[in-house]
Amino acid sequence: MTLSELSEKANFIAGHQRVLRAHWNHYGNSLVQAITLSRASLHLSVGCNNDNGLGFWLFDHFLIRVTPEQAFNGHIFNYTIEARDDQQSVLIGRARLSDDGMLDGTIHIDQREAVFNHFLDKINGVYTALYEATERGESLTLATLAQHHAAV
């Protein structure tokens, strides 16, 4: 392989990485704006957001994170939940972001409301488990939430 061929491949890879990072940032902006501008009373607030992921507090007790997979050229987002002051987390969903800015092949990241609804679909099982526990007057631990979410 010649130096110019190697340089061409490196530029191709770097270009795709820039596009993927730009899509991740755009997805995050769309989601944060949708949550911030939502008039619905979801008891969901924007928490820590950085290059490593997005964080949203649910009832100021659970932290829902959206993080890109830790792989080179990673196209997968992981949706996890953890309790305040607990480092354990439970995977509650995954999504794929394509090179053309499509989320799970159906939603473009420019569509703020669609991005928001996609996120709500991913975390719907959490609200269901919280509602059921509250309705029955039961405690809900992260372990119980993980069992409930696995059953959904």
Side-chain angles (χ1 to χ4, degrees):
M1 181 176 300
T2 67
L3 183 58
S4 65
E5 290 172 330
L6 191 58
S7 178
E8 186 177 321
K9 287 181 180 184
N11 285 332
F12 174 81
I13 294 166
H16 274 270
Q17 294 306 297
R18 278 191 299 276
V19 167
L20 193 57
R21 175 56 68 192
H23 286 333
W24 162 253
N25 289 334
H26 192 82
Y27 168 82
N29 288 337
S30 293
L31 184 56
V32 168
Q33 286 176 7
I35 289 171
T36 303
L37 297 173
S38 174
R39 294 177 188 242
S41 181
L42 299 172
H43 299 274
L44 186 67
S45 60
V46 177
C48 52
N49 296 316
N50 56 38
D51 286 340
N52 297 326
L54 307 169
F56 306 97
W57 285 104
L58 180 60
F59 295 105
D60 200 34
H61 184 83
F62 292 102
L63 181 61
I64 297 173
R65 292 187 187 269
V66 184
T67 55
E69 68 179 330
Q70 297 300 311
F72 184 79
N73 201 40
H75 287 74
I76 303 297
F77 297 167
N78 293 311
Y79 298 78
T80 59
I81 188 167
E82 57 194 64
R84 182 179 290 285
D85 302 325
D86 187 349
Q87 294 300 318
Q88 293 183 1
S89 64
V90 173
L91 180 67
I92 57 175
R94 285 201 163 112
R96 186 176 199 294
L97 181 62
S98 63
D99 290 332
D100 60 357
M102 296 297 288
L103 189 58
D104 285 339
T106 59
I107 299 163
H108 196 276
I109 55 175
D110 285 337
Q111 301 171 308
R112 185 172 59 209
E113 283 301 311
V115 166
F116 186 41
N117 288 329
H118 178 271
F119 173 76
L120 293 177
D121 286 344
K122 296 293 180 186
I123 68 170
N124 183 46
V126 173
Y127 278 99
T128 300
L130 293 172
Y131 179 81
E132 290 173 358
T134 303
E135 190 176 49
R136 290 189 304 259
E138 297 174 353
S139 298
L140 185 69
T141 64
L142 196 58
T144 306
L145 184 59
Q147 291 172 347
H148 181 281
H149 194 76
V152 173

